Amino acid sequence: MTTYPGFEELRDYIVNNKYPTFDGFIAKYGDKLADFSMSTPITSADTYFTHWRTNYVLLLRELRPKLAIKPTKYVKKIWEANIKELLELTYRYESLRTLHSGAKHAGERTRKSLVTTEEDEGEGKEGEGEGEEEEVDSGERQQELTNAEKLIKGNPITGEAKMFVEMMSKKRETVQDCVLGSAAVNLLGQDGWDNEMTINTKLCISNIVNLISPESENFLKTILSDDQLKGVNSITVPQLQGLSTECLNIYDELINESTIMDSESIIENIHKLQVKHCRRINSDIYKMLGVLQQVILQFSDWKSDPNPSETTTYRRFAMLLDYLFRNTGVIMKDGECVARTTQDALVVLQALSGQVESSSQCSTYGSKIDLIAKTYLDGEEYELSSNEWKCAGASNSILLLQQAKNMRTNASILSKLIRLGGLPWTLAMDWTGTRGYAYIMSYADDVFVAKPYQDLMIPLRSTQLTAFKSTLNFLFLWKNALMKHVARLDQQVDDITIRGVVKKNSTDKANNIKIPLVVIESTPRKRKAIQMDKDDNE
């Protein structure tokens, strides 16, 4: 962990306050801020704000991963007063250095005038040379500060920044080197990006290896060696349990070649089994019967509306999820919601890039998601999985953009789960109409790897119920996987109630894990109705 003047005070403030804020830190250590900043290349109010906001955000992300990272507004009046104090202090310090250097030279001249021997005169000349050399060193340091200041201001990729990006583009030792190097090559390119290059660059700069789409796999073959590609493909996924053998046998009894043509008879048999198991309404058997019943009842809806919108398709599927996750502690949040983890990532990216928002400017959101699986433990919210829907007939370019967006959102969610001591993988779904797929995202060797898990479908007619068995099994597997995440998070000791009461000198072991930052684009707080209509028609 890199230290700097003021680091100990910032760490102590973050660790020993229940709900730390950037403004709170500035208020507490405002009188010492200029002293902390003397060695930094800061010459303006906005770079002063950016410097300390970046330090705060990165340390908060590392030491308190459970907390949301809230955006901080730039109040120009306050930071102009702060920079004035810093520049005055710097001026006084430089004046004292100059006075000290001048006094040294005057002393040398006085000594030479009093000492008449040649030996002493020679020593005097040597002293003058040392003084001149010191002034040159000071000038060189000032030039170094100027170069660093240019980098902080976020100018185009030139000079040292360009050299760093060029260096990254040539590294090929690890899989992470290769994906970041590919992104660096694209960032240095002068030509515009097509849809495929945009997707690949965003995934690579987020340390994501996409093994799902054929286009992405072909791209990976151009940047990874055969051994590296074999390595990411061999990353194992956990053994997950879906429906029990008893449940699968009941399904086979209900759905077979002799029954699929008579949906009313299937409903009747479901009712009989529900009565038999009514004392176990939270059991997988009872829930499976309820989900299957709802699927069959929706056949008439699909028949009367053969070209449903994205919203209609999702609404019908959501009814199945509500039944499935009832009394599990896992909540399905939908309706163009925003993943909080992407908001956190966006705040960190804004801090690193030096983006400054005044108090009068509109805030931005993170990624908007169709469905987020989450849970609440002791009042704290934890996101578990992000899932997307598009209407049937959407173009491949739109579907690939959705795929990449959902991967980056799930990588952001997984990053936080790992830093909280959670499991190093998560399951998610992407749907197009009534057809979709599940994928598993895992974290290994400093990269996120997305691998296909299985195809999914929602039956539109009773003759498709046989094929629905594997999808129904996955939904219960997904439920069990999310509940496993909840159990793992609940094992982590929550010390939020004693923060600020009992001094803490160290943090949890999970917080020391280094996870790459995922690149997220900001989304406007409000979208125009015409844009929402356009999205619905895509």
Side-chain angles (χ1 to χ4, degrees):
M1 185 181 294
T2 304
T3 61
Y4 43 82
F7 171 83
E8 295 294 337
E9 289 80 358
L10 179 57
R11 182 175 63 179
D12 180 73
Y13 172 78
I14 290 175
V15 168
N16 289 298
N17 278 273
K18 186 176 292 187
Y19 299 109
T21 65
F22 177 67
D23 291 336
F25 169 74
I26 297 301
K28 183 173 182 179
Y29 292 102
D31 58 337
K32 298 181 180 180
L33 203 62
D35 292 328
F36 296 156
S37 309
M38 284 290 294
S39 60
T40 58
I42 296 173
T43 58
S44 64
D46 57 344
T47 55
Y48 200 6
F49 165 80
T50 298
H51 172 79
W52 281 104
R53 179 184 62 166
T54 302
N55 289 341
Y56 170 81
V57 165
L58 293 179
L59 206 54
L60 179 68
R61 180 176 182 265
E62 182 173 349
L63 299 179
R64 302 287 297 278
K66 187 178 293 186
L67 297 182
I69 305 177
K70 297 180 179 180
T72 302
K73 299 298 182 183
Y74 170 68
V75 183
K76 186 176 181 180
K77 183 178 180 180
I78 293 177
W79 286 96
E80 282 182 343
N82 288 340
I83 191 63
K84 182 179 179 181
E85 180 185 2
L86 174 60
L87 293 178
E88 288 177 351
L89 184 61
T90 303
Y91 175 77
R92 291 197 298 269
Y93 173 74
E94 292 295 336
S95 298
L96 289 173
R97 288 183 68 251
T98 303
L99 183 61
H100 173 75
S101 178
K104 182 177 180 180
H105 294 165
E108 291 293 341
R109 288 194 295 270
T110 301
R111 184 167 63 88
K112 286 189 296 179
S113 66
L114 295 176
V115 180
T116 57
T117 63
E118 291 184 1
E119 180 180 356
D120 289 342
E121 289 178 358
E123 291 177 357
K125 292 178 182 179
E126 183 179 348
E128 290 180 9
E130 292 177 356
E132 292 172 357
E133 183 179 350
E134 183 177 353
E135 290 181 356
V136 172
D137 290 343
S138 177
E140 291 176 352
R141 282 197 300 271
Q142 183 61 38
Q143 182 60 39
E144 291 174 2
L145 298 183
T146 303
N147 292 336
E149 181 183 348
K150 289 179 180 178
L151 294 178
I152 290 175
K153 288 183 177 179
N155 288 337
I157 302 177
T158 59
E160 294 180 12
K162 186 175 182 180
M163 290 174 59
F164 172 77
V165 177
E166 288 176 341
M167 179 193 69
M168 288 300 303
S169 68
K170 298 174 183 177
K171 292 186 67 175
R172 291 291 186 270
E173 295 177 6
T174 66
V175 174
Q176 185 185 43
D177 290 340
C178 293
V179 295
L180 289 178
S182 175
V185 170
N186 292 342
L187 290 172
L188 289 170
Q190 300 298 319
D191 299 331
W193 295 352
D194 57 18
N195 192 62
E196 183 179 355
M197 185 176 291
T198 298
I199 291 172
N200 290 335
T201 303
K202 290 179 179 179
L203 290 177
C204 285
I205 206 170
S206 299
N207 297 272
I208 297 174
V209 176
N210 179 6
L211 298 175
I212 298 176
S213 79
E215 286 187 7
S216 180
E217 191 165 26
N218 291 334
F219 162 72
L220 291 172
K221 291 178 181 179
T222 66
I223 66 171
L224 300 180
S225 67
D226 291 341
D227 289 340
Q228 289 172 333
L229 196 57
K230 183 178 179 180
V232 293
N233 273 291
S234 65
I235 293 176
T236 58
V237 298
Q239 285 292 114
L240 302 173
Q241 177 66 44
L243 288 168
S244 65
T245 303
E246 181 183 8
C247 290
L248 294 174
N249 290 336
I250 291 176
Y251 189 92
D252 290 337
E253 292 175 6
L254 288 169
I255 310 299
N256 52 63
E257 291 296 327
S258 62
T259 63
I260 57 174
M261 301 302 295
D262 188 359
S263 57
E264 292 183 357
S265 176
I266 296 175
I267 292 291
E268 182 180 353
N269 290 329
I270 288 175
H271 286 161
K272 292 178 181 179
L273 289 169
Q274 285 176 326
V275 171
K276 179 180 178 180
H277 297 281
C278 64
R279 293 182 180 275
R280 302 164 57 197
I281 61 174
N282 290 321
S283 66
D284 281 358
I285 291 178
Y286 196 87
K287 287 190 174 186
M288 180 195 72
L289 295 170
V291 171
L292 182 57
Q293 178 185 356
Q294 187 61 47
V295 167
I296 296 174
L297 293 176
Q298 287 180 356
F299 287 161
S300 60
D301 298 329
W302 296 116
K303 185 176 181 180
S304 62
D305 185 11
N307 297 303
S309 66
E310 175 186 322
T311 303
T312 300
T313 303
Y314 167 72
R315 179 166 42 87
R316 292 173 184 169
F317 188 84
M319 296 175 68
L320 310 182
L321 297 181
D322 288 340
Y323 199 96
L324 178 66
F325 284 96
R326 190 167 295 142
N327 297 321
T328 63
V330 178
I331 300 168
M332 299 289 115
K333 185 175 181 181
D334 56 12
E336 285 284 303
C337 50
V338 176
R340 197 181 80 173
T341 51
T342 63
Q343 288 178 295
D344 293 348
L346 184 57
V347 172
V348 176
L349 288 169
Q350 288 175 340
L352 290 174
S353 64
Q355 182 176 336
V356 175
E357 286 187 348
S358 67
S359 56
S360 61
Q361 290 177 317
C362 179
S363 296
T364 53
Y365 270 36
S367 296
K368 290 186 176 181
I369 305 301
D370 291 328
L371 174 70
I372 297 177
K374 60 175 59 179
T375 191
Y376 288 90
L377 296 172
D378 300 322
E380 294 288 334
E381 177 185 294
Y382 301 88
E383 293 167 344
L384 307 173
S385 174
S386 163
N387 307 272
E388 288 280 1
W389 270 257
K390 276 285 180 281
C391 65
S395 65
N396 279 357
S397 61
I398 291 176
L399 296 179
L400 290 172
L401 285 170
Q402 171 183 273
Q403 181 186 80
K405 170 192 169 187
N406 199 24
M407 283 183 186
R408 287 182 287 130
T409 302
N410 276 305
S412 180
I413 290 173
L414 182 57
S415 171
K416 187 159 189 175
L417 288 174
I418 294 173
R419 287 184 286 115
L420 289 170
L423 299 170
W425 53 267
T426 189
L427 271 174
M429 299 181 293
D430 262 354
W431 287 86
T432 307
T434 58
R435 299 295 182 266
Y437 62 92
Y439 68 92
I440 188 163
M441 175 163 284
S442 54
Y443 181 73
D445 299 328
D446 299 322
V447 292
F448 301 96
V449 179
K451 299 178 69 173
Y453 197 83
Q454 76 170 70
D455 292 340
L456 305 172
M457 59 87 70
I458 295 296
L460 306 180
R461 297 171 292 278
S462 62
T463 50
Q464 297 177 342
L465 284 172
T466 303
F468 177 63
K469 179 180 177 181
S470 63
T471 297
L472 184 62
N473 182 64
F474 170 79
L475 292 177
F476 279 84
L477 180 149
W478 188 48
K479 171 182 72 73
N480 295 337
L482 294 179
M483 292 178 66
K484 183 177 290 189
H485 273 289
V486 175
R488 178 64 173 266
L489 290 171
D490 204 24
Q491 294 174 18
Q492 311 306 313
V493 178
D494 183 11
D495 59 0
I496 189 71
T497 56
I498 59 173
R499 293 270 181 176
V501 178
V502 178
K503 181 175 176 60
K504 291 182 65 65
N505 295 316
S506 60
T507 56
D508 296 336
K509 182 178 180 181
N511 294 346
N512 295 324
I513 301 175
K514 303 295 184 182
I515 307 293
L517 188 64
V518 178
V519 175
I520 302 293
E521 303 113 318
S522 67
T523 304
R525 182 182 290 271
K526 293 183 179 180
R527 298 202 303 174
K528 295 181 180 179
I530 187 172
Q531 179 64 35
M532 296 187 71
D533 291 339
K534 179 181 177 182
D535 290 348
D536 201 48
N537 291 328
E538 287 178 344

